[in-house]
Amino acid sequence: MGEGKEKLVRGFSAGGVVFKKDGRGFRWLIIKPAGTNRWQLPKGRIDKGEGSETAALREVEEEGGVEVKLVKKIGASQYFFTFQGQKIFKTVVYFLMEYLSDTKDGYDHEVDETLFLPFKEAYEKLTFKDDKEILKRAKEILDSGIQGSFV
């Protein structure tokens, strides 16, 4: 390797695509991280010794302010970004989750706002292409038959 070649760091996170059903149909949770204009799915770092399912449940509770139950693994999103001059290759595993209730403390300080929106509105509001794709896959899973048990 030549001099000056930067080392690639790998990052691993987990998150959730949360749905709830009301009188108007299914609604999908999206969040706006504090101090940004981005809308995204709740996700966060997998802590040492923690599995992706546990991390996803914890992050959705913290960032979304909701208690959920895990339904099914959706898949993963992978992308590169630079943070403090370091190039990072991030893998995020997502799970389909059913809304159970709001948490008593609400969402944490890392988030400015949360919304439950119909699919089309949530899809259009999401900032990142990868989040849109994961949301689309979550809806396809729900539409493919899992939905019967939630109607």
Side-chain angles (χ1 to χ4, degrees):
M1 242 197 275
E3 288 295 314
K5 182 114 173 147
E6 64 183 293
K7 183 181 175 210
L8 181 67
V9 173
R10 291 180 166 271
F12 298 95
S13 291
V17 182
V18 179
F19 69 91
K20 73 176 175 179
K21 184 162 172 56
D22 63 19
R24 299 166 296 178
F26 289 101
R27 304 275 182 240
W28 301 88
L29 176 68
I30 62 172
I31 67 164
K32 184 178 171 206
T36 73
N37 289 319
R38 299 188 320 259
W39 286 94
Q40 62 190 56
L41 299 170
K43 68 175 184 323
R45 182 177 303 131
I46 298 172
D47 292 337
K48 188 174 174 80
E50 188 176 45
S52 58
E53 290 180 5
T54 304
L57 288 166
R58 176 181 50 75
E59 287 293 340
V60 165
E61 182 177 320
E62 290 173 3
E63 292 190 349
V66 295
E67 291 183 22
V68 295
K69 82 173 178 185
L70 204 128
V71 176
K72 183 174 182 161
K73 183 177 178 179
I74 298 169
S77 170
Q78 296 181 314
Y79 54 92
F80 290 94
F81 69 99
T82 303
F83 181 71
Q84 296 179 341
Q86 181 68 58
K87 191 168 187 177
I88 299 168
F89 179 63
K90 173 84 92 166
T91 299
V92 185
V93 178
Y94 285 98
F95 296 89
L96 180 62
M97 298 175 170
E98 181 183 10
Y99 168 89
L100 298 175
S101 66
D102 290 342
T103 60
K104 69 176 173 63
D105 296 328
Y107 51 84
D108 72 13
H109 66 280
E110 295 177 359
V111 175
D112 279 344
E113 192 176 350
T114 66
L115 294 172
F116 270 100
L117 297 172
F119 175 80
K120 187 173 188 260
E121 290 176 43
Y123 184 88
E124 289 171 359
K125 200 164 188 71
L126 285 170
T127 302
F128 302 111
K129 187 174 106 190
D130 285 355
D131 282 359
K132 290 177 187 268
E133 184 58 36
I134 292 292
L135 178 65
K136 190 172 147 198
R137 279 196 243 159
K139 183 180 184 303
E140 288 167 0
I141 290 169
L142 204 58
D143 289 347
S144 73
I146 287 180
Q147 159 172 320
S149 59
F150 300 111
V151 179

